[in-house]
Amino acid sequence: DTEVTQTPKHLVMGMTNKKSLKCEQHMGHRAMYWYKQKAKKPPELMFVYSYEKLSINESVPSRFSPECPNSSLLNLHLHALQPEDSALYLCASSQDRGAREQYFGPGTRLTVT
Amino acid sequence: QQQVKQSPQSLIVQKGGIPIINCAYENTAFDYFPWYQQFPGKGPALLIAIRPDVSEKKEGRFTISFNKSAKQFSLHIMDSQPGDSATYFCAASSITSGTYKYIFGTGTRLKVLA
């Protein structure tokens, strides 16, 4: 199974809401990633988890809070977002942080109103 | 120095043509250069990747050419098909002193006409 799944597919939230994005992989990968992709732009790395520990935080605002409950799951908790945070949020995984072949999920389309 | 410059922004070819997409980088610490294909509403999918000790790599209809001295690499799609119509991203990655970088190029929208 070479699939990364993400839920929900679409999410609309107000600026005062709290919501979470979920990502799951069953490939036995030990590194997982969150990316943000604006329309017609490339993905931008937000967070890297390696063996369930946060290893990279690319200066992302604290209104985005990642969590890795176990080796298969990755969450992104959202709170007090701004309209400019509207984007496609992509999850990816790789065998480990040193293995640069990343497998991406389909993403969650987030709209902040 | 962390940027990856990609060109052209868009490309239209006839079926059977050979589109070529180019990327250039500055940071010599980059040591892994993948190409991703992305269809609308989907996540990027890894097509092919190369490391700087190799000048060319071929997988099926996709070929990467790599010029280490010029710090450039390119993707060639042989016998292109309408199903290849998508956005293509190059990327460059490095892990140095514990710092992990994975930088995507700006993307090329390819359209293959039937």
Side-chain angles (χ1 to χ4, degrees):
Chain A
D1 183 6
T2 57
E3 193 178 46
V4 176
T5 58
Q6 290 187 244
T7 55
K9 285 188 177 180
H10 302 275
L11 178 63
V12 179
M13 60 184 291
M15 289 190 283
T16 58
N17 292 158
K18 284 186 182 180
K19 296 286 184 183
S20 297
L21 309 184
K22 295 186 184 302
C23 173
E24 190 167 7
Q25 57 87 14
H26 293 288
M27 295 178 276
H29 288 174
R30 303 312 301 268
M32 297 184 76
Y33 312 83
W34 280 115
Y35 287 84
K36 174 182 177 180
Q37 186 177 27
K38 302 280 274 184
K40 297 186 180 181
K41 297 290 186 183
E44 294 179 5
L45 184 63
M46 299 173 72
F47 300 105
V48 178
Y49 270 86
S50 178
Y51 290 85
E52 295 106 74
K53 286 185 168 38
L54 180 65
S55 67
I56 306 288
N57 174 347
E58 294 285 345
S59 302
V60 178
S62 59
R63 56 185 183 268
F64 296 92
S65 175
E67 179 197 18
C68 190
N70 60 55
S71 60
S72 300
L73 290 173
L74 188 66
N75 298 322
L76 186 63
H77 303 297
L78 313 172
H79 174 54
L81 294 193
Q82 304 298 310
E84 59 265 28
D85 296 321
S86 298
L88 181 69
Y89 287 85
L90 293 161
C91 173
S93 71
S94 65
Q95 189 170 4
D96 54 42
R97 201 181 70 144
R100 256 67 75 73
E101 297 81 9
Q102 294 192 4
Y103 294 83
F104 281 82
T108 293
R109 177 74 59 189
L110 174 68
T111 303
V112 181
T113 61
Chain B
Q1 214 195 16
Q2 298 297 335
Q3 283 186 327
V4 178
K5 295 181 180 178
Q6 183 172 346
S7 62
Q9 190 174 6
S10 63
L11 190 53
I12 300 175
V13 300
Q14 294 287 338
K15 178 182 171 182
I18 305 176
I20 301 172
I21 305 171
N22 301 297
C23 283
Y25 63 97
E26 288 294 324
N27 188 347
T28 54
F30 289 136
D31 63 352
Y32 177 79
F33 303 90
W35 284 92
Y36 286 86
Q37 178 190 59
Q38 187 174 27
F39 293 104
K42 304 287 187 183
L46 180 65
L47 277 176
I48 185 172
I50 199 167
R51 294 195 182 258
D53 53 343
V54 177
S55 61
E56 185 176 281
K57 184 174 180 181
K58 190 177 293 189
E59 284 186 8
R61 294 185 295 109
F62 302 97
T63 299
I64 297 180
S65 297
F66 188 85
N67 185 330
K68 187 175 180 178
S69 60
K71 291 185 279 187
Q72 295 175 348
F73 58 109
S74 60
L75 176 70
H76 302 230
I77 306 175
M78 306 301 175
D79 187 28
S80 59
Q81 302 296 314
D84 295 329
S85 299
T87 299
Y88 292 80
F89 291 99
C90 64
S93 176
S94 65
I95 303 177
T96 52
S97 303
T99 300
Y100 183 95
K101 293 293 178 189
Y102 213 103
I103 310 294
F104 282 79
T106 48
T108 296
R109 302 185 93 180
L110 171 67
K111 183 162 188 173
V112 181
L113 302 175

